[in-house]
Amino acid sequence: MPATPLPLSFSTTVTRLRAAGCVFAEDEARLLLSTAPAPGELDAMIERRAAGHPLEHVLGWAEFRGRRVAVDEGVFVPRRRTEFLVAQAASLTPPGAVVVDLCCGSGALGVSLVADLDGAELYATDIDPAAVRCARRNVTAAGGRVFEGDLYQPLPAELRGRVDVLLANVPYVPTEEVELLPAEARVHEARVALDGGADGLDVLRRVAAGAPEWLAPGGSLLFETSEHQAATATAVVTAAGLTPRVVTCEDLYATVVVAARGRAAPSGSPSAPGAPRGG
């Protein structure tokens, strides 16, 4: 009968993680020890982490805005800076809102946003089957629905013109810079979640072009971008007929564009485009 493996100690776990180059070995050791269901599985988890797998993939979850979100192998890991995007969305999302999370990955953004809202409807889409499988675990538990397909294509047609908040954490790394990303992202996350095309804004252009059709009057599209891409990104959404503003968070090194669809003026109102003015 094989001997039962002895539990690995905290100090042994830290030593192995440090040897593998993990900067925050103590913190990671605590998480691994608290998550591993059995000693033998802990050893395998340490081996995977030491081999360069993202900690979140090894644990099977990521913490996002104070909540644990399931994250499967190969699925984009939600970044802490993206919490700023959700905070901006939360500040303008009314109770009962219709929320759509495009390029949803694990579904972390939409789930986090609707968690504290009353009566919100959540819909999410992703083109990557692995992301969709993962998102369904998170989004379904939050009362939402997940669809597999390209951007708006799989969404129910009845959502057109009804979306109050459109979250789009689109890939925005220029193609030639993907190979410069840390190995944790470049090797272990789906390329479709990282590669934004020649200038990093190809997917954004498609999202912006479709947004006016799906947003409700007064609804907003929110997306993350880099500081140096912000000017071009705002020009893209302006050309699509939306009104953008850029908000930043230095602590999280986050740049977010909030692009609103204008509210339609009442029929015959002098403020309606092209309406005659008195004089």
Side-chain angles (χ1 to χ4, degrees):
M1 182 176 180
T4 302
L6 295 174
L8 291 168
S9 69
F10 175 75
S11 59
T12 300
T13 303
V14 170
T15 299
R16 290 175 63 180
L17 293 173
R18 280 182 178 160
C22 298
V23 177
F24 303 104
E26 290 85 356
D27 293 338
E28 294 192 12
R30 291 187 183 92
L31 290 170
L32 290 167
L33 285 162
S34 65
T35 301
E41 293 182 55
L42 173 60
D43 188 67
M45 292 169 73
I46 296 171
E47 288 296 326
R48 289 180 63 211
R49 181 59 181 141
H53 290 256
L55 177 64
E56 294 82 1
H57 288 171
V58 176
L59 296 173
W61 55 268
E63 183 174 318
F64 190 79
R65 296 192 83 213
R67 292 179 172 84
R68 287 190 179 185
V69 179
V71 181
D72 295 337
E73 187 75 23
V75 175
F76 184 82
V77 176
R79 279 34 170 182
R80 183 166 176 261
R81 66 172 175 268
T82 309
E83 294 181 356
F84 182 65
L85 185 157
V86 179
Q88 297 306 305
S91 69
L92 50 81
T93 307
V98 174
V99 175
V100 170
D101 186 356
L102 296 182
C103 306
C104 68
S106 66
L109 277 66
V111 168
S112 175
L113 177 59
V114 305
D116 299 320
L117 295 175
D118 293 328
E121 297 179 39
L122 174 60
Y123 303 85
T125 75
D126 204 290
I127 198 170
D128 178 18
V132 170
R133 287 192 297 271
C134 181
R136 283 188 174 136
R137 295 165 59 197
N138 296 310
V139 174
T140 303
R145 299 169 64 189
V146 183
F147 303 89
E148 182 179 335
D150 186 24
L151 299 180
Y152 305 101
Q153 176 268 324
L155 287 172
E158 60 266 25
L159 291 181
R160 283 189 173 90
R162 291 187 53 229
V163 179
D164 298 296
V165 174
L166 179 58
L167 305 171
N169 195 23
V170 297
Y172 58 90
V173 179
T175 300
E176 65 179 13
E177 296 180 19
V178 171
E179 295 305 315
L180 304 178
L181 292 173
E184 285 189 18
R186 175 171 40 83
V187 175
H188 297 285
E189 294 177 329
R191 180 149 186 146
V192 70
L194 304 170
D195 191 340
D199 67 350
L201 300 177
D202 282 1
V203 182
L204 172 63
R205 290 185 177 91
R206 296 175 56 223
V207 169
E213 177 184 356
W214 292 88
L215 286 172
S220 295
L221 161 67
L222 296 95
F223 60 91
E224 188 176 273
T225 189
S226 67
E227 184 179 4
H228 74 271
Q229 291 170 317
T232 304
T234 56
V236 167
V237 293
T238 298
L242 304 177
T243 302
R245 58 187 174 90
V246 179
V247 287
T248 61
C249 176
E250 292 185 5
D251 290 343
L252 295 177
Y253 197 58
T255 301
V256 169
V257 176
V258 182
R261 178 189 167 191
R263 295 186 181 276
S267 177
S269 167
S271 61
R277 295 181 178 273

